[in-house]
Amino acid sequence: MSGTRTGEPAAPTDVDPRRWWGLMVIALAQLMVVLDATIVNIALPSAQRDLGMSDGNRQWVITAYTLAFGGLLLLGGRIADLVGRKRTFAIGLIGFAAASAIGGAATTSAMLFGARALQGVFAAVLAPSALSLLTTTFTDPRERGKAFGIYGALAGSGAAVGFIVGGVLTEYLNWRWCLYVNVPIAVVAVIGAFTLLHDRPGNTGARLDVPGVLLGCGGLVALVYGFSEAQPRGWTDPLVLAMFATGIVLLTVFVWWQARAASPLLPLHVVRDRNRAGCFLTMMLAVIGMYGLFLFMTYYLQVILNYSPLRTGLAFLPMTVSIVLVSTQFSARMLRRVGPRMLMVPGMLLAAAGMVFLTRMTVHSHYTTDILPALILMGIGMGLTFMPVFSTATAGVAPRDSGVTSATVNTSQQVGGSIGTALLNTIATSTSATYITSHLTDPSRLESVVREGIVHGYTVAIWLAAGIMLLAGLVAGLMVTAKAPEHGAPADRPVPEPVA
């Protein structure tokens, strides 16, 4: 019977009619974590003025969160496996709410930076346990498709929702509410978690792989920090190069250690699986392009087209709606009938087409004719891609490894976002500077040449993002060979561990 593992009794959530309400709790928590990566972007100028931040330090409002979140995800996933997913989920929610309240009440820039880092720490605990709870709750192929359709929609649209919510709160209240808003959301989610969610006990017999934690988390922190600093400092800065070198060395030693550790932080059979590895890589490449788009379009709409923060946020709404509708109404249904790559490859092709459409934009472009069609194409592409990525990456995982597998999916997303923001922004700014230098022959045209140069830099970087999306489609087509759940192995049957 679907939902029952060999040798294990069916979990209460398999037959609990309230499991769909439980999904709403999981989805609410995931949305809070994802949108918090972008919700403060639009509020950042206001926060900078209030707290007297320098231009050089303001990036830490963003970096402190992504650094802690991306660097500690593997640890958070393994903690969920060891002590229980529901308990870890609740701890993550409570800690995230407390950190958000501290950030909202910040009186100095250091206090805000610290609160954002603390948010990232608890997000690293919360996100893997949320996806892991979803994975172990919905194992029937039909229900799994619907559940992951909703989850994939939130993962794909959460960043855009952050821009919308951030614009509304900043314009009508103040920037502090971009942090305070997490408190009531977390309170509702905590109550819902204790009331509606069920979980198997954690693997209390296993020990935490301390050397793996230091190597893996240290390597990820170094990489994420290196990509974050590459944006303001440049790719050849000694600190940036040192962080990249440190990250590569630590992660190389981490892989060597994981093959020998008795209770590894990341069991290598999780990433050796061809389909799962293909999903991790597809996710990372897709997010590289997507985060670059959000960055450029936010500045393009506000600086070039002179949109207000609220109008800028609402401009992303069609993309968000497209992701939600395609994930829940199309991808969730089709994944039961076709293999995941039959959705992921067309999804990346459509997203790349949307990017190419955006390369036509100029300083005089109109939203409805030049921007909106591209955003809708991007939304459809992400809706086709993210849902099967999450579902396939977490299918067939042994219960004791579901947390760390979920963490690896989230790590791919966070590292991709860091790479995309740094890489594409560096290309855009350097290309803009070259354009302005070569075209500024008449000082009276300074303002217009600068605006043209900025847009030119965006379009060059967007061409690269389109190429990365095509590469993601190629990876999905070649690596993700899983069959449709109805025709392949049941989603709840763990993949056997390889024999040494």
Side-chain angles (χ1 to χ4, degrees):
M1 179 182 296
S2 179
T4 305
R5 291 179 174 84
T6 304
E8 290 185 20
T13 47
D14 290 340
V15 294
D16 187 354
R18 299 183 301 171
R19 63 191 177 279
W20 292 104
W21 288 105
L23 170 62
M24 294 299 103
V25 173
I26 295 170
L28 190 63
Q30 177 64 17
L31 178 62
M32 181 178 68
V33 168
V34 175
L35 68 80
D36 234 72
T38 57
I39 191 172
V40 298
N41 283 33
I42 290 178
L44 188 53
S46 301
Q48 183 179 1
R49 287 193 300 270
D50 274 6
L51 300 181
M53 290 181 226
S54 67
D55 288 345
N57 285 335
R58 67 183 177 186
Q59 64 153 332
W60 280 102
V61 176
I62 311 298
T63 304
Y65 180 79
T66 57
L67 190 62
F69 189 9
L72 298 177
L73 270 165
L74 285 179
L75 175 60
R78 186 44 94 192
I79 289 174
D81 290 330
L82 295 179
V83 306
R85 289 165 280 277
K86 178 179 173 179
R87 184 183 302 172
T88 308
F89 183 76
I91 292 171
L93 283 169
I94 294 168
F96 197 90
S100 298
I102 294 171
T107 54
T108 65
S109 57
M111 185 175 175
L112 179 58
F113 300 156
R116 288 288 286 169
L118 196 59
Q119 277 186 308
V121 170
F122 284 105
V125 172
L126 179 58
S129 57
L131 182 54
S132 182
L133 280 168
L134 186 68
T135 301
T136 55
T137 298
F138 295 93
T139 54
D140 177 78
R142 185 179 300 273
E143 290 191 345
R144 187 179 177 86
K146 294 178 183 177
F148 275 88
I150 294 170
Y151 190 91
L154 293 174
S157 63
V161 172
F163 286 121
I164 298 170
V165 176
V168 171
L169 293 175
T170 302
E171 191 148 323
Y172 292 106
L173 293 171
N174 62 52
W175 66 268
R176 296 180 185 276
W177 279 97
C178 292
L179 294 161
Y180 284 143
V181 71
N182 293 319
V183 177
I185 294 175
V187 169
V188 171
V190 168
I191 294 172
F194 284 116
T195 306
L196 299 167
L197 296 179
H198 300 278
D199 186 25
R200 296 179 178 85
N203 186 12
T204 53
R207 293 184 177 182
L208 188 63
D209 175 21
V210 176
V213 169
L214 296 176
L215 292 168
C217 294
L220 287 172
V221 166
L223 277 186
V224 174
Y225 182 58
F227 284 118
S228 299
E229 287 296 302
Q231 181 179 337
R233 293 174 178 266
W235 293 89
T236 57
D237 182 84
L239 176 63
V240 173
L241 294 177
M243 286 298 102
F244 286 155
T246 301
I248 291 170
V249 169
L250 288 176
L251 290 177
T252 301
V253 179
F254 171 74
V255 172
W256 172 84
W257 172 252
Q258 294 307 281
R260 291 157 179 80
S263 300
L265 179 68
L266 175 61
L268 293 184
H269 64 264
V270 169
V271 292
R272 282 198 190 109
D273 179 78
R274 175 174 178 166
N275 291 296
R276 198 167 291 121
C279 287
F280 294 154
L281 190 52
T282 300
M283 168 64 80
M284 185 175 69
L285 292 170
V287 172
I288 288 175
M290 187 178 73
Y291 270 61
L293 171 75
F294 288 146
L295 178 69
F296 300 142
M297 292 313 301
T298 300
Y299 279 94
Y300 176 77
L301 293 170
Q302 291 195 61
V303 176
I304 304 299
L305 299 187
N306 297 314
Y307 279 25
S308 67
L310 175 58
R311 192 178 178 189
T312 299
L314 292 176
F316 287 102
L317 187 59
M319 179 179 177
T320 303
V321 171
S322 299
I323 294 175
V324 172
L325 289 178
V326 173
S327 292
T328 58
Q329 301 305 313
F330 185 80
S331 295
R333 291 185 170 97
M334 290 302 296
L335 190 61
R336 300 198 302 268
R337 299 176 175 85
V338 301
R341 67 176 170 184
M342 298 302 291
L343 296 173
M344 294 163 64
V345 174
M348 287 294 91
L349 291 176
L350 286 173
M355 289 286 194
V356 171
F357 194 94
L358 273 182
T359 61
R360 300 164 56 249
M361 69 185 187
T362 68
V363 293
H364 304 296
S365 292
H366 297 284
Y367 176 79
T368 52
T369 56
D370 301 316
I371 307 300
L372 179 60
L375 293 180
I376 291 175
L377 280 174
M378 283 284 296
I380 294 172
M382 291 300 177
L384 286 171
T385 304
F386 277 12
M387 181 268 162
V389 163
F390 281 113
S391 181
T392 306
T394 55
V397 180
R400 65 181 177 275
D401 293 330
S402 63
V404 74
T405 304
S406 302
T408 309
V409 181
N410 281 283
T411 299
S412 300
Q413 192 172 0
Q414 288 301 310
V415 173
S418 298
I419 295 173
T421 301
L423 173 63
L424 297 177
N425 188 64
T426 301
I427 291 171
T429 52
S430 61
T431 306
S432 295
T434 302
Y435 180 95
I436 293 168
T437 301
S438 61
H439 287 75
L440 189 58
T441 56
D442 183 358
S444 65
R445 294 192 63 246
L446 175 61
E447 183 178 350
S448 61
V449 170
V450 168
R451 287 163 61 86
E452 291 168 3
I454 291 173
V455 175
H456 175 70
Y458 291 166
T459 56
V460 170
I462 289 172
W463 272 113
L464 177 60
I468 294 172
M469 292 288 191
L470 290 176
L471 180 59
L474 180 64
V475 168
L478 294 177
M479 294 185 67
V480 184
T481 58
K483 298 178 181 179
E486 287 187 347
H487 307 294
D492 61 331
R493 183 176 300 164
V495 174
E497 297 184 22
V499 179

